[in-house]
Amino acid sequence: MSTVKSTANLYEVIRAPRVSEKTARLQEVSNQYVFEVAKSATKADVKAAVEKLFEVKVEAVNVVNVKGKNKTFKFRQGRRGDWRKAYVTLADGQSIDVMMAKA
């Protein structure tokens, strides 16, 4: 999956932007954006996908595996799935409007 070409493949790599108070603060302070990405996506895949989809210059990508939580609902035990997120640092002066992102 190291060479991403079509738009469909790009949206397979980048699943959705993560929007929260913490990610909003990261955007303001260090020009970082957070995306939920495919479990098999590498840093190079994420960088290529973000640069092609949003037409920006990516300086760095950090990837984190998030473990799913154990939850109880009506006396039944369940587990949320594991997922992966990427912190993408953009070059100075560039930005992404995550509210308008289709990912």
Side-chain angles (χ1 to χ4, degrees):
M1 207 185 237
S2 58
T3 51
V4 243
K5 293 186 177 147
S6 73
T7 307
N9 285 347
L10 298 178
Y11 285 117
E12 287 175 14
V13 173
I14 297 179
R15 299 251 169 91
R18 302 296 291 189
V19 181
S20 67
E21 289 181 23
K22 181 180 178 181
T23 60
R25 198 172 315 116
L26 279 173
Q27 290 172 19
E28 294 170 5
V29 174
S30 57
N31 205 19
Q32 282 187 329
Y33 293 83
V34 183
F35 296 96
E36 183 176 337
V37 296
K39 284 187 186 180
S40 60
T42 63
K43 289 183 180 185
D45 292 341
V46 173
K47 180 177 180 177
V50 170
E51 285 182 343
K52 284 187 179 182
L53 279 175
F54 302 109
E55 298 173 358
V56 293
K57 175 73 175 126
V58 174
E59 285 190 346
V61 176
N62 295 336
V63 179
V64 179
N65 290 321
V66 180
K67 301 289 183 201
K69 294 181 178 181
N70 291 320
K71 292 288 185 178
T72 305
F73 181 72
K74 290 195 177 183
F75 307 108
R76 288 186 173 225
Q77 281 291 102
R79 180 168 167 80
R80 290 188 182 164
D82 299 340
W83 54 285
R84 190 169 169 103
K85 68 179 169 180
Y87 290 87
V88 178
T89 306
L90 300 183
D92 289 339
Q94 298 201 334
S95 65
I96 297 172
D97 186 4
V98 290
M99 294 301 179
M100 298 304 292
K102 293 180 185 176

